[in-house]
């Protein structure tokens, strides 16, 4: 395990942090609005006057990644259409999964894409990065290690890490992209790639044509399956129970979120604003369900609805008062169970005119809260590369440029995402070894079982994490290496040219 940590630390140190060209901005008052943009149903690709053709991007999936990509594409002058199976399903899932964490790097990307939308998102969210965050022992409640999410962000002029309700985030993005662009009840089930275009086929048989197809349809992506064949997802060995409760603990102003550690289980709690606390209880156990065949994320009620709270009180009943209180104060109806899956990293995120993004390309375990952030960063990199495709030229030249752009996108993202993917798996593996005290269950020393004798490896692991975590969080906050240009800066450059 130590060797794994050293390898991860080496990757972090060798990966450039990148510097955001970020300036303080004064925002005008934001009004609720819905952008209406042209969306062609003509099966032929549109061409602009003067021989310049506007590339058309088809996006399978209207989750966070798909919507942010659509917003970025519109601001860069691409034509775009989003096909979503069921927007209400995303809302229903979000109601139970709770907020999504947006770190400084992801918020900076959103600002670079659309300042007004980013402002709305930050106004709707709850800032947690300006408080104490870190890991604590689940039984004693004592801090194991803390990390700073604020200082680096402030020093670089970046927004501070926050959480936001998934439903609110989705509503803001759908409103900005436009309901004429986001096609609800339109699941992409297949596609056909030809030399000069790509065609998506919906469940009802309708077909739409474009220059590029981006699969942003999540861990059970049908676009990914068509590209690389069906492969089973990996069960993480953990099931997750989540809940939201009306509780304002006395430490609310000083603690953003804490992860309570235990052997083969952990418990995360965070302030989500408006007098609500969100918690996640992860417990190691065999899978109780199966990989949904091409279906939704494995959100399920696998237990008797009346049994989840009882099980949690049994598993975490001897933990510190904060954990016990959060479980007890949560109504049974607000507790959901889902099994945690991810997939092995792949080092090709597309073929030809088709590429993957977010969970479709690199599904992550949720223990570090980075899935949404990585998808948002993917969006900026992908649009940045597609923006290099020439607007004029022969079909063959444009096709080659599109394929090159999609390869460059994956090449520039794989290293950073790979490190985060490895870190999420390592975090789960650590829990199988978490043992702060020596346990004497049997044998001649069994009478010592009531004594709390510190495990000799525990101080070493603690010191190592206290060194590694600040390095890792600094690298995460610093961003993905692109020099971000704001929407206004791009508009000024366009006018000059």
């Amino acid at each position: 395990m130590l060797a794994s940590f050293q390898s991860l630390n080496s990757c972090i140190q060798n990966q450039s942090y990148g510097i955001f060209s970020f300036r303080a901005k004064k925002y005008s008052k934001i009004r609720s609005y819905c952008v209406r943009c042209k969306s062609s149903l003509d099966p032929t690709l549109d061409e602009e006057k003067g021989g310049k053709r506007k590339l058309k991007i088809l996006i399978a999936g209207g989750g966070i990644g798909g919507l942010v990509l659509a917003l970025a594409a519109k601001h860069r002058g691409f034509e775009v259409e989003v096909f979503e199976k069921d927007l209400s399903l995303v809302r229903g899932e979000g109601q139970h999964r709770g907020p999504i964490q947006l770190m400084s790097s992801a918020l900076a990307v959103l600002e670079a894409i659309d300042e007004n939308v980013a402002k709305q998102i930050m106004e709707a969210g709850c800032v947690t990065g300006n408080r104490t965050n870190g890991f604590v022992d689940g039984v004693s409640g004592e801090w194991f290690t803390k990390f700073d999410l604020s200082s680096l962000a402030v020093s670089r002029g970046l927004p501070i890490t926050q959480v936001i309700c998934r439903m609110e985030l989705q509503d803001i993005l759908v409103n900005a992209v436009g309901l004429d662009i986001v096609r609800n009840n339109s699941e992409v089930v297949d596609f056909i790639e030809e030399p000069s275009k790509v065609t998506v086929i919906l469940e009802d048989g309708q077909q739409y044509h474009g220059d590029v197809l981006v699969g942003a349809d999540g861990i059970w992506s049908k676009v990914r399956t068509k590209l690389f064949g069906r492969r089973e997802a990996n069960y993480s060995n953990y099931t997750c129970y989540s809940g939201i409760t009306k509780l304002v603990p006395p430490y609310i102003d000083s603690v953003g979120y804490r992860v309570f550690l235990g052997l083969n289980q952990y418990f995360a709690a965070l302030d989500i604003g408006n007098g609500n606390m969100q918690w996640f209880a992860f417990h190691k156990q065999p899978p109780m369900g199966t990989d949904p065949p091409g279906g939704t994320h494995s959100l399920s009620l696998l237990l008797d609805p009346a049994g989840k709270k009882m099980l949690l009180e049994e598993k975490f009943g001897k933990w510190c008062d904060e954990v016990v209180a959060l479980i007890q104060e949560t109504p049974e109806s607000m507790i959901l169970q889902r099994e945690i899956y991810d997939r092995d990293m792949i080092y090709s995120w597309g073929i030809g005119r088709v590429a993957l993004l977010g969970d479709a390309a690199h599904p992550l375990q949720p223990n570090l809260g980075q899935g949404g952030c990585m998808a948002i960063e993917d969006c900026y990199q992908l649009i940045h590369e597609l923006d290099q495709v020439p607007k004029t030229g022969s079909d063959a030249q444009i096709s080659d440029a599109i394929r090159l752009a999609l390869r460059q996108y994956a090449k520039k993202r794989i290293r950073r995402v790979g490190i985060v993917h490895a870190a999420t798996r390592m975090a789960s593996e650590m829990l199988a070894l978490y043992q702060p005290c020596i346990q004497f269950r049997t044998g001649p020393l069994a009478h010592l079982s009531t004594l709390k004798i510190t495990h000799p490896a525990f101080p070493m692991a603690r010191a190592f994490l206290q060194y590694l975590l600040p390095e890792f969080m600094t690298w995460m906050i610093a961003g993905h290496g692109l020099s971000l240009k704001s929407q206004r800066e791009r508009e000024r450059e366009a006018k000059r040219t």
Side-chain angles (χ1 to χ4, degrees), residues 298-416:
S298 54
L299 286 165
S300 55
L301 298 175
L302 298 175
L303 290 176
D304 182 334
K308 298 189 296 295
K309 189 169 183 178
M310 184 183 301
L311 183 143
L312 290 169
E313 289 174 339
E314 175 187 338
K315 297 295 183 183
F316 295 91
K318 294 182 180 179
W319 280 34
C320 61
D321 293 342
E322 292 92 333
V323 171
V324 174
L326 285 168
I327 295 173
Q328 289 180 343
E329 293 296 324
T330 304
E332 182 82 42
S333 61
M334 291 301 297
I335 300 176
L336 187 83
Q337 179 191 8
R338 62 189 178 105
E339 294 179 336
I340 304 301
Y341 289 85
D342 69 2
R343 295 185 185 274
D344 295 337
M345 278 293 295
I346 55 175
Y347 297 95
S348 174
W349 290 359
I351 298 174
R353 292 172 174 266
V354 185
L356 302 174
L357 179 144
D359 280 352
H362 47 76
L364 306 174
Q365 295 183 37
N367 47 34
L368 296 180
Q370 291 303 312
C373 297
M374 292 297 100
I376 290 170
E377 290 184 9
D378 286 351
C379 295
Y380 193 93
Q381 186 75 59
L382 178 53
I383 291 301
H384 175 77
E385 298 302 331
L386 287 174
D387 216 19
Q388 313 308 310
V389 175
K391 304 297 187 294
T392 59
S394 67
D395 286 345
Q397 290 173 326
I398 292 176
S399 294
D400 288 343
I402 289 173
R403 292 182 174 90
L404 176 61
L406 297 184
R407 289 197 300 269
Q408 287 294 102
Y409 147 70
K411 179 180 179 181
K412 293 178 180 179
R413 288 293 297 156
I414 280 174
R415 181 177 177 84
R416 177 170 168 85

Side-chain angles (χ1 to χ4, degrees), residues 27-35 71 75 102 107 110-111 114-126 162-165 168-177:
Y27 295 94
S28 60
K29 185 177 180 181
I30 306 301
R31 296 184 177 88
S32 176
Y33 62 93
C34 182
V35 178
L71 186 64
H75 281 301
L102 299 176
L107 289 169
L110 290 170
E111 284 194 311
D114 190 312
E115 295 174 5
N116 288 341
V117 169
K119 181 67 172 178
Q120 291 180 68
I121 290 171
M122 286 187 278
E123 286 178 346
C126 174
Q162 68 171 58
V163 295
I164 181 173
C165 171
E168 287 192 70
L169 177 58
Q170 183 194 44
D171 285 341
I172 291 170
L173 292 172
V174 168
N175 188 42
V177 173

Side-chain angles (χ1 to χ4, degrees), residues 52-261:
K52 292 185 177 181
R53 191 173 75 187
K54 185 189 299 183
L55 290 184
K56 184 173 182 179
I57 302 174
L58 308 177
I59 302 173
I64 304 305
L67 292 173
V68 171
L69 179 65
L71 186 64
K74 284 164 57 63
H75 281 301
R76 294 293 182 95
F78 296 97
E79 188 176 354
V80 60
E81 288 188 90
V82 180
F83 305 93
E84 168 54 39
K85 177 181 179 180
D86 187 352
L87 283 173
S88 65
L89 181 65
V90 177
R91 288 184 171 87
E93 179 178 321
Q95 179 182 359
H96 294 286
R97 290 181 64 192
I100 180 173
Q101 176 178 263
L102 299 176
M103 291 195 74
S104 300
S105 55
L107 289 169
V109 168
L110 290 170
E111 284 194 311
I113 291 172
D114 190 312
E115 295 174 5
N116 288 341
V117 169
K119 181 67 172 178
Q120 291 180 68
I121 290 171
M122 286 187 278
E123 286 178 346
C126 174
V127 176
T128 56
N130 58 354
R131 289 174 266 177
T132 302
N133 301 279
F135 298 101
V136 301
D137 180 75
V139 176
S140 68
E142 296 178 358
W143 284 98
F144 183 74
T145 185
K146 303 176 184 178
F147 42 83
D148 182 3
L149 298 177
S150 176
S151 297
L152 180 65
V154 171
S155 68
R156 296 197 176 194
L158 302 176
I160 299 175
T161 296
Q162 68 171 58
V163 295
I164 181 173
C165 171
R166 293 172 188 270
M167 292 177 287
E168 287 192 70
L169 177 58
Q170 183 194 44
D171 285 341
I172 291 170
L173 292 172
V174 168
N175 188 42
V177 173
L179 289 175
D180 55 339
I181 299 301
V182 181
R183 299 186 176 279
N184 196 16
N185 301 316
S186 302
E187 181 183 12
V188 174
V189 296
D190 201 357
F191 65 85
I192 300 170
E193 184 184 0
E194 300 177 48
S196 62
K197 67 180 179 180
V198 61
T199 302
V200 298
I201 303 171
L202 305 187
E203 189 174 30
D204 62 4
Q206 291 189 71
Q207 298 185 12
Y208 295 85
H209 310 277
D211 294 288
V212 179
L213 169 61
V214 179
D217 46 346
I219 185 172
W220 315 112
S221 168
K222 292 190 175 180
V223 176
R224 176 178 173 138
T225 299
K226 176 68 182 289
L227 283 173
F228 302 115
R230 178 172 173 79
R231 300 176 188 176
E232 296 297 324
N234 300 314
Y235 179 55
S236 68
N237 293 319
Y238 284 88
T239 191
C240 173
Y241 303 84
S242 61
I244 298 176
T245 183
K246 285 283 185 183
L247 179 69
V248 181
Y251 52 79
I252 195 70
D253 293 328
S254 59
V255 177
Y257 74 84
R258 283 184 292 182
V259 180
F260 299 82
L261 303 177

